Amino acid sequence: MANINDLIDGITTILSQEKAYDLPNICTKYGLENGDEQEAFRSKRVYIQRRLKGKDQLFLLDLAKRIMDDYNDDAKELSKLLSHISPAGLFSISEITRKNILSELYSKVNIPGRMDIVSFLKRIWDLDNMPSTDSRYLNASGDIWQHMVNNYDYDEEYLFEEYLEILTASDELFINFLEQLVHPLVRETYEQEECISLLNSHLKNDGFRLLQTDYMSGYPIYKINKIKDGVKGSVKNLIFASIGAKPDIVISDSLNNSIRIVKNEDNCLIYEQPIPSTGLFWDDLVNWWKELNPSLESYKNIQVSLYNRLFNSLDSPPEKIFFKSYFKLLKESYDKNLPALIPQVYLHYDPYTKSQRNGQAYLARQRMDFLLILPNEQRVVIEIDGKQHYSEGNISSPKKYAEMVSADRDIKLQGYEVYRFGGYELLKEKTSLILLEEFFKRLLKKHEINPIA
């Protein structure tokens, strides 16, 4: 893995190609101390590195990108180096996402669409001013035409990944490539939709998606947009499906936010495995449950056991109807793409009861009825409201209602999505199915989670 010193060496290699007497002005241009010509004449590399040492990584990354823009082909090695500065790479759309997209495009999509390959590529690259690797041709246009059309002795993988080096190109170029791929001049409308679905299934892992932003002569134009930010931070303590008395929790390591349940541990479930950026799916929970219950042999028995344990944590008939409907409506069609519907999740926690605090509750709501942990740090809270949410007994309570909406505001500002159902909406299972089917499918579509084809 490359580090900051490798980055300094990469920048130095490019700038040291300049004349020594030009280096002071060039350094000034890039925000570095200029020094004097005599120092530059003694050693150009030492001169440059003295001005780079001590600069923070963000400055150096920004400088490297500016140098790449200015030096173009002379900065190819620096471009490759940048993709290895961190595990995720410099680019917002990571190299692994790019590779996954391209692999599917090679096998499933006619990349140039209704254009010839050279005309399509010219929408993204300035081929006429790019050098040819074949001495018979003046530029990349002739080179690519010869080897992709006349002879076809380049394949698409070589063209895009070796010749055009798209895996380590700038975000701007890769995004332009994807947007041109689905442009109406390149692709018919029905092909657009299929291609966009394919691309979005990968882009969502890096927090992007193609969205329609405009029309051209009645045809849709798509641009890549950043998906809104979700909840910051990773899930560390997922405590859920509580039955009976509240668990008694202590902080065993406050520096690492590690907790331990010292009483009533059997009353709840604790999922302690890392949750990836792709979210938590029903299959993840089933595999975890299998490890906890090795005596359960068949996959069906494991699922049924987990389902029953979660179902038993639910308090009210409307909550049970909601839970049953989720699986009845979605399990078969979404299969491995089905997010885990996690019931009775502790969001806030007060170790003391209301009576122990002399009737005063510091937290209006400690448990969420249901939680979905979706890709890109998106977390969805679903609440099923009975009269206890807004009344004292049979008397409406403005105070309780205010506490509820205040708690909603707080978690929404943290990045959670919150959806509420009135318990009255979920009294009868048959009529509830119609309402919930529309809700579930719209919610999952919004988050780019699709049924299994």
Side-chain angles (χ1 to χ4, degrees), residues 332-369:
E332 183 177 350
S333 57
Y334 283 80
D335 195 28
K336 294 184 182 298
N337 282 357
L338 184 68
L341 181 63
I342 314 164
Q344 303 298 310
V345 181
Y346 276 98
L347 175 62
H348 309 299
Y349 183 81
D350 185 341
Y352 297 103
T353 64
K354 189 174 181 179
S355 61
Q356 288 173 318
R357 291 198 179 278
N358 298 318
Q360 182 178 8
Y362 288 151
L363 298 172
R365 178 178 66 212
Q366 295 189 50
R367 285 191 298 179
M368 300 175 280
D369 290 339

Side-chain angles (χ1 to χ4, degrees), residues 14-168:
I14 292 174
L15 294 185
S16 61
Q17 298 172 22
E18 299 287 352
K19 302 294 185 183
Y21 54 77
D22 287 331
L23 276 181
N25 287 334
I26 290 171
C27 285
T28 300
K29 169 187 171 183
Y30 288 120
L32 301 169
E33 296 79 11
N34 58 9
D36 58 59
E37 289 182 20
Q38 287 186 344
E39 183 186 357
F41 274 107
R42 283 194 293 271
S43 171
K44 292 190 287 184
R45 290 190 65 86
V46 171
Y47 179 91
I48 296 163
Q49 291 199 349
R50 279 179 179 171
R51 282 147 183 80
L52 296 175
K53 295 290 186 183
K55 299 295 184 184
D56 64 44
Q57 183 165 314
L58 288 177
F59 176 89
L60 292 172
L61 289 172
D62 180 68
L63 174 59
K65 287 193 286 185
R66 292 168 61 195
I67 288 173
M68 284 167 53
D69 289 339
D70 291 344
Y71 286 82
N72 298 315
D73 290 341
D74 291 335
K76 284 184 178 180
E77 292 304 315
L78 180 60
S79 175
K80 292 178 182 178
L81 174 67
L82 284 173
S83 67
H84 301 292
I85 291 297
S86 68
L90 171 68
F91 310 119
S92 298
I93 302 177
S94 71
E95 188 170 345
I96 190 168
T97 295
R98 297 177 186 213
K99 181 64 178 177
N100 289 339
I101 286 173
L102 288 166
S103 295
E104 284 217 71
L105 290 178
Y106 300 148
S107 62
K108 297 179 179 179
V109 176
N110 175 23
I111 292 178
R114 57 175 118 188
M115 293 186 165
D116 64 74
I117 185 65
V118 174
S119 297
F120 170 72
L121 294 178
K122 281 185 174 181
R123 297 175 66 85
I124 305 143
W125 286 272
D126 185 10
L127 299 184
D128 291 340
N129 288 308
M130 288 172 58
S132 171
T133 60
D134 187 326
S135 59
R136 294 174 295 172
Y137 302 98
L138 295 175
N139 52 38
S141 292
D143 195 355
I144 293 171
W145 182 265
Q146 173 63 26
H147 295 284
M148 288 296 296
V149 180
N150 286 348
N151 286 346
Y152 199 68
D153 50 356
Y154 288 175
D155 60 18
E156 288 183 329
E157 183 174 358
Y158 176 82
L159 173 68
F160 286 102
E161 298 179 30
E162 300 296 328
Y163 192 101
L164 296 171
E165 298 181 321
I166 197 169
L167 294 179
T168 53

